Amino acid sequence: MGIPIISPSATLLSAAGLVIVLAIFKFRNRRTLPYPPGPPGEFLIGHLRVIPFEDSPTAYLNWGREYKSDVLYFNTLRQPIIVLNSVKACVDLLDKRGANYADRPRFVLLELLGWGMTLTWLRWSPKMQQHRKMLQSPFAKSKVSVYQSLQMKETHRLVKGMMKSPLEWELELRRFAIAVVANVSYGVDINTVDHQWVDLSDAAGYATSHAGAPGGTIVDRFPPVRYLPDWLPGLRALKYAHDNKSAIVNMHEIPYQGALREMEEGVTNPSFIHNLLEKYRSNEKEGLPNDFTLADIKGSAAAIIIAGSETTMTTLVVFILMMMCNPEVQKKAQVEIDAAIGSDRLPEFEDIEGLTYLNYIRLENCTLVTTWNTPSKLERRRNVFAMHRDPDVYSNPYDFSPDRYIPKSEGGLGEAFPVGNFGFGRRVCPGQYLANNTVSMVMATMLSTLNIDWPVGPSGKPTPFEPGWSKIGQYHPLEFQCTMEPRSEKAKDLVYKSI
Ligand code: HEM
């Protein structure tokens, strides 16, 4: 048998085919505009190993300075990432051209974990817009005052708990952060630190935050992998989802089934879920179509807990740490509160607006809670950390200095208020007004009634230490101890009698 001969026409066809394939590949990779600058990546994997696992905000900040650009480009395994280091870049891209950046990739792993119907993870779609409408309307700026009495009651409970068990302040805070959103969303009263829902929410938060980078696991990159047996090598993420799903399912089902039971028993309350379930049932009774399904109701109510508890908790932990580390700031706020409110009553919501220095503290505190946005289709990371460390905007960007916001007319520096802590554009946090009210009330009540100090050391005196921060993912302080003591017997009495 002779050697097979490839005819010239076949060779030509093959060559033409190769040219077409290369042309398509080149076309698909064609850059219509040059990418923003950034450090060089590696062959195939791009910046996967270049972006540090720990403290990436500082690395992005430094690259921004090195490449003299507030917009940087990276890619990991061909997934493009745009990092926005300045408020201007965020406003230009996320606010003004928000429609381009409101979509998200499909988070298959999170769906497998049970977060399928949660706004945070929904792609830009009629379903997502419906969930935003459901969640935006009850928490609009003009409506959040209805939650004020709840926020006051829970704050008093929190401070009383801190006075009774100062060593357990963190546990009290955890209960508090869940209690506000649990009451708002389900009308459930979480009145003790060992309430079942505290564990429920913790377990769901833990399972979610340890699932790996959203959209970054093998199951997200190759969705059919979800149908393979999870014991196969390399499918640790899939096994993780199967093993941990129950935590998220419980977080949805237990509160939801409780609300359904209450409805059957004729128990009503003005919570988010009761309002929606009542509307759903009444439409059904009258034969009217429902805009949303029961699964939508269940998912959006759970979204309030998962999006609203950990964020509030972290913000307040940072506040306590900052008050401990900056006694002069604490004292200044106490002087302001005492002058405005006196010592015969506890702060009320009407007082908050007039507490200018307290508001500066809240704003300065925000700059230390570095929240990343959820990845969009073209992942863009707004680097809130860098925005607030910009030496062109802030004179001493690494200091905790609420005084920086004192207007020039009052002899201060009049530096710009920080923005972006709640995101930008069409996916901005719908809970921001509720959250700000919660945080302000806690700050005012704690400062009015407690002194926060370093923990007592072996010498029997308050002993300063260097606080630690976890800089993997979002920054948050490592566990720390502090002293919390009532400012006076009168303050203690006021708190104890308030609830
Ligand atoms: C201090 C507390 C809070 C902080 C710092 C915070 C911050 C954020 C941030 C940064 C985002 C992402 C925005 C983006 O992807 O661009 C977000 C989204 C979200 N937040 Fe908040 N949040 C807080 C409290 C709350 C509360 C109390 C609620 C509930 C009422 C809530 C509900 C949500 C929801 C549902 C989303 C998803 C929005 C979407 O994907 O369209 N948050 N939040």
Side-chain angles (χ1 to χ4, degrees), residues 94 104 118-122 128 132 135 139 180-181 184 300 303-313 315-316 366 369 371-375 380 382 420-432 434-436 438-439 474:
L94 307 180
R104 302 203 153 150
T118 314
L119 175 59
T120 324
W121 315 113
L122 283 179
M128 174 262 154
R132 259 209 90 91
L135 282 160
F139 303 120
V180 174
V181 283
V184 164
S300 50
I304 299 175
I305 306 271
I306 198 73
S309 57
E310 197 64 37
T311 43
T312 305
M313 164 93 187
T315 305
L316 290 170
C366 281
V369 184
T371 47
W372 286 114
N373 57 293
T374 316
R380 83 280 181 230
R382 52 184 166 69
N421 189 54
F422 290 104
F424 289 85
R426 300 190 184 193
R427 306 292 299 244
V428 69
C429 172
Q432 60 178 310
L434 179 78
N436 274 343
T438 304
V439 167
Q474 302 182 351

Side-chain angles (χ1 to χ4, degrees), residues 193-446:
V193 290
D194 41 26
H195 192 286
Q196 180 201 19
W197 280 36
V198 178
D199 287 343
L200 212 60
S201 161
D202 270 0
Y206 186 88
T208 312
S209 60
H210 287 75
T217 68
I218 187 162
V219 190
D220 296 293
R221 296 284 155 97
F222 307 104
V225 158
R226 64 189 294 180
Y227 301 110
L228 295 176
D230 63 16
W231 46 261
L232 284 175
L235 298 191
R236 224 177 43 194
L238 186 62
K239 178 152 176 33
Y240 181 90
H242 291 157
D243 289 350
N244 290 279
K245 188 177 175 162
S246 61
I248 283 93
V249 171
N250 288 343
M251 180 70 256
H252 282 75
E253 284 303 328
I254 295 176
Y256 174 74
Q257 295 302 337
L260 287 183
R261 250 193 328 275
E262 283 174 352
M263 300 262 305
E264 269 154 32
E265 290 161 5
V267 178
T268 55
N269 64 53
S271 68
F272 178 85
I273 200 161
H274 273 257
N275 285 342
L276 289 178
L277 284 173
E278 267 159 37
K279 195 165 168 199
Y280 186 92
R281 289 276 155 85
S282 115
N283 280 348
E284 240 184 7
K285 237 187 238 163
E286 290 171 31
L288 296 169
N290 264 310
D291 295 340
F292 38 79
T293 63
L294 290 174
D296 291 321
I297 299 179
K298 196 194 297 185
S300 50
I304 299 175
I305 306 271
I306 198 73
S309 57
E310 197 64 37
T311 43
T312 305
M313 164 93 187
T314 307
T315 305
L316 290 170
V317 170
V318 172
F319 162 71
I320 291 169
L321 181 64
M322 287 304 107
M323 291 305 99
M324 180 175 82
C325 297
N326 298 278
E328 67 299 339
V329 171
Q330 184 179 171
K331 190 80 230 141
K332 204 164 168 178
Q334 287 174 331
V335 168
E336 178 186 66
I337 291 172
D338 293 349
I341 298 168
S343 57
D344 294 336
R345 66 177 179 89
L346 296 174
E348 289 171 15
F349 272 98
E350 289 70 41
D351 301 313
I352 301 288
E353 214 181 305
L355 299 173
T356 313
Y357 194 71
L358 184 91
N359 279 313
Y360 296 160
I361 293 182
R362 181 179 58 76
L363 291 168
E364 186 70 347
N365 199 64
C366 281
T367 70
L368 292 166
V369 184
T370 56
T371 47
W372 286 114
N373 57 293
T374 316
S376 66
K377 264 209 110 186
L378 167 66
E379 188 173 332
R380 83 280 181 230
R381 299 183 173 172
R382 52 184 166 69
N383 192 358
V384 178
F385 176 81
M387 289 176 212
H388 303 132
R389 305 293 172 284
D390 186 344
D392 291 340
V393 182
Y394 298 109
S395 51
N396 45 357
Y398 289 91
D399 291 356
F400 181 82
S401 167
D403 291 60
R404 68 173 82 249
Y405 307 113
I406 297 174
K408 285 187 176 147
S409 58
E410 291 170 25
L413 294 168
E415 292 184 342
F417 289 159
V419 287
N421 189 54
F422 290 104
F424 289 85
R426 300 190 184 193
R427 306 292 299 244
V428 69
C429 172
Q432 60 178 310
Y433 303 109
L434 179 78
N436 274 343
N437 280 357
T438 304
V439 167
S440 298
M441 184 41 73
V442 172
M443 288 180 175
T445 311
M446 283 187 74

